[in-house]
Amino acid sequence: MKLRPRQKRILEFIQEYIDEHDYPPTIREIGAAVGISSTSVVNYNLERLEEMKLIERNREVSRGLRLVKPKDKRGGERVREIPLYGKIAAGKPIPIPDDPETVAENIAVPASLLPTSGEAFALRVEGHSMIDALVNDGDIIVVRSQPEVENGQMAVVEVLEPAELAGVTLKRFYRRDDKIELRPDNPDPSYQPFWVEAEHVRVYGRVESVLRKYS
Amino acid sequence: MKLRPRQKRILEFIQEYIDEHDYPPTIREIGAAVGISSTSVVNYNLERLEEMKLIERNREVSRGLRLVKPKDKRGGERVREIPLYGKIAAGKPIPIPDDPETVAENIAVPASLLPTSGEAFALRVEGHSMIDALVNDGDIIVVRSQPEVENGQMAVVEVLEPAELAGVTLKRFYRRDDKIELRPDNPDPSYQPFWVEAEHVRVYGRVESVLRKYS
DNA sequence: CTTGACAAAGAACATATGTTCCGGCTATAC
DNA sequence: GTATAGCCGGAACATATGTTCTTTGTCAAG
């Protein structure tokens, strides 16, 4: 079966309408846009399109139609939304937010910057302690959730004790037996590594990618 | 204003419904799902949600509602595809590809990392000359196409003459009268700035953002 | 030419769906 | 207590919207 020009215009209009409104048009709106005065003619053509498997319809439901292969703007799996949980101190640890469940916002990340497997989340870096690792104040890091990381990797960890260091921080991670060294990556001597008991550290994940926007 | 549990359930249901049907639910469908017998109560709560800027409504239109920040698969303008033209030397300029029109591939970039206006494209950085600007070998830069840049900005420029420097390169850009200094950002003395006649330089654009993926 | 399938227009119809109004309930403030 | 505001339920209402029917015109096949 062949797609007639009027039917092609209907398809295009549906796509445009959904792009603009986030919901499909009515039969009458389609008619007005394509230049069809009768609702029955629109209905007729929608039936043809349905036969051709180009759209799906839910009968007796207003705006009950969808495109079978929507020309999705975000091209399938090329982008994912991950939660942006807030700020992380690259310098001194900062306390965990009271309610970690409340996600401030989501951020869209290209699939090419995401881990190939596993969950991921994002944080905004505050401070300059990882400057030598090319991570700066204001950058957004994408973190792959995982309970362990290898030595030398950039990791997001929570320090439980001692109290004066407690909080979540971004550091290079080195494990020696049951002690863990958290090392900043800044030549400035005001940034010093510190050691913590392994049992007092919880690893959230390792840094997978970095996003930076220049104002 | 506080989000009441019933309103939260309404939001969640709208999201689920859209994910499943590709169009929004009716007031009555929301009521049935959330356990509200009266359409007026659903309407009332939708008005509250609209006040809180959590949804938008088109009155007198069936299913005329949308989530303001839809976790929707087709999240509108949140992502754009831009061409990834290939590699650029952060160190020595590299020749322009014979056919700049042939785009090797496209890359999806979140709108938050794109310039608010104008065209953009992406390049993969090769070399370490911009290491102090936190741009490293392998990073992808997003470039806003523009014919001029301000002094000190990181810019993608093409050098036409002299022949031994000809090519496209990534440098900090400084203009003094009719001469242009192209300055790398690496303390290593093997990276040296150089001066070129302004008429022998073509500016492609300035660096808008940086993406880095750790293997 | 006649026939039948297809496309279309217009009108009438059925109902799906948003809107409005009224009353009741609960909690808090006065 | 009373008063007020926020929230809810129910029903009547208006209309937005899909469905169906009849009629007309076109075009290719017989």
Side-chain angles (χ1 to χ4, degrees):
Chain A
M1 191 173 299
K2 193 76 173 64
L3 193 65
R4 318 190 88 245
R6 185 173 257 184
Q7 289 160 3
K8 188 177 179 193
R9 290 183 60 195
I10 290 178
L11 274 184
E12 291 168 352
F13 171 71
I14 294 174
Q15 180 62 53
E16 293 166 12
Y17 191 98
I18 292 178
D19 283 346
E20 183 174 348
H21 295 87
D22 284 352
Y23 49 80
T26 66
I27 281 185
R28 282 172 179 81
E29 286 167 335
I30 296 172
V34 183
I36 299 176
S37 65
S38 171
T39 60
S40 66
V41 178
V42 178
N43 189 58
Y44 170 79
N45 283 289
L46 289 180
E47 286 173 351
R48 295 294 84 70
L49 290 171
E50 194 177 16
E51 285 176 4
M52 292 181 254
K53 311 274 189 191
L54 292 172
I55 64 173
E56 288 175 12
R57 294 186 68 186
N58 289 325
R59 300 318 181 87
E60 317 203 352
V61 165
S62 70
R63 304 173 188 277
L65 78 150
R66 74 174 69 173
L67 298 175
V68 167
K69 19 178 168 173
K71 300 161 189 165
D72 194 330
K73 282 178 181 163
R74 47 172 48 179
E77 291 304 305
R78 310 179 66 129
V79 174
R80 252 178 52 204
E81 298 248 344
I82 62 175
L84 178 59
Y85 280 124
K87 296 180 177 175
I88 184 175
K92 295 248 186 298
I94 56 175
I96 313 169
D98 293 336
D99 190 354
E101 299 308 312
T102 49
V103 178
E105 49 183 325
N106 278 22
I107 181 176
V109 177
S112 58
L113 295 180
L114 286 169
T116 50
S117 67
E119 285 302 300
F121 60 95
L123 296 169
R124 187 176 297 275
V125 173
E126 205 162 61
H128 302 85
S129 80
M130 299 304 282
I131 197 88
D132 264 13
L134 304 180
V135 176
N136 200 11
D137 187 63
D139 289 1
I140 288 176
I141 55 174
V142 175
V143 184
R144 180 188 196 275
S145 293
Q146 53 186 56
E148 297 180 358
V149 298
E150 296 173 19
N151 276 353
Q153 285 187 330
M154 237 188 299
V156 173
V157 300
E158 177 183 0
V159 178
L160 305 171
E161 295 182 25
E164 69 269 22
L165 292 176
V168 178
T169 187
L170 172 67
K171 292 283 185 300
R172 287 205 183 276
F173 179 99
Y174 295 90
R175 176 157 192 161
R176 304 271 191 283
D177 300 326
D178 55 352
K179 282 193 184 277
I180 287 169
E181 181 187 11
L182 298 175
R183 191 186 300 176
D185 220 338
N186 188 316
D188 187 318
S190 66
Y191 294 92
Q192 287 296 326
F194 54 91
W195 290 85
V196 188
E197 300 287 331
E199 65 208 65
H200 294 155
V201 171
R202 179 182 166 200
V203 174
Y204 278 97
R206 72 156 202 273
V207 175
E208 190 72 21
S209 54
V210 178
L211 317 179
R212 178 183 315 127
K213 175 80 158 68
Y214 294 102
S215 60
Chain B
M1 191 173 299
K2 195 74 172 66
L3 193 65
R4 319 202 73 238
R6 184 172 256 186
Q7 289 160 2
K8 188 175 179 192
R9 290 184 58 194
I10 290 178
L11 274 184
E12 290 169 352
F13 171 71
I14 294 174
Q15 180 60 55
E16 294 166 11
Y17 191 99
I18 293 178
D19 282 345
E20 182 175 347
H21 296 87
D22 284 350
Y23 49 79
T26 66
I27 283 187
R28 282 173 179 80
E29 286 168 333
I30 295 173
V34 182
I36 299 177
S37 64
S38 171
T39 60
S40 68
V41 178
V42 178
N43 190 57
Y44 170 80
N45 283 289
L46 289 180
E47 285 173 353
R48 295 292 83 73
L49 290 171
E50 193 177 18
E51 285 176 4
M52 292 183 252
K53 312 276 189 193
L54 293 173
I55 64 174
E56 288 176 13
R57 297 186 71 191
N58 289 326
R59 299 318 180 89
E60 319 204 352
V61 166
S62 70
R63 305 175 190 275
L65 80 155
R66 73 175 68 172
L67 298 177
V68 167
K69 10 179 171 172
K71 300 156 189 168
D72 186 1
K73 289 167 188 160
R74 61 170 55 109
E77 291 304 304
R78 308 175 67 129
V79 173
R80 256 178 50 203
E81 300 247 343
I82 63 175
L84 179 58
Y85 280 125
K87 296 180 177 176
I88 183 175
K92 296 247 186 295
I94 57 175
I96 313 169
D98 293 335
D99 190 354
E101 300 308 311
T102 49
V103 179
E105 51 182 324
N106 278 22
I107 180 175
V109 177
S112 59
L113 294 178
L114 287 169
T116 50
S117 67
E119 284 303 299
F121 60 94
L123 295 169
R124 186 176 297 276
V125 174
E126 205 163 60
H128 302 86
S129 79
M130 300 303 282
I131 196 89
D132 265 12
L134 305 179
V135 176
N136 201 12
D137 188 64
D139 289 1
I140 289 177
I141 55 174
V142 175
V143 183
R144 180 187 195 275
S145 293
Q146 53 187 54
E148 298 180 357
V149 298
E150 296 172 20
N151 276 354
Q153 287 187 329
M154 236 188 300
V156 173
V157 299
E158 177 183 359
V159 178
L160 305 171
E161 295 182 23
E164 68 270 22
L165 292 174
V168 178
T169 187
L170 172 67
K171 291 284 186 299
R172 288 205 182 273
F173 178 99
Y174 296 90
R175 175 159 193 161
R176 304 272 191 280
D177 301 325
D178 55 352
K179 282 192 183 275
I180 287 170
E181 181 187 10
L182 298 175
R183 192 186 298 175
D185 221 340
N186 188 316
D188 188 317
S190 65
Y191 293 93
Q192 287 298 325
F194 54 90
W195 291 84
V196 189
E197 299 287 330
E199 66 208 65
H200 295 155
V201 171
R202 179 183 166 200
V203 174
Y204 280 97
R206 71 154 203 273
V207 175
E208 190 72 24
S209 54
V210 179
L211 317 179
R212 178 182 315 128
K213 175 79 158 69
Y214 295 102
S215 60

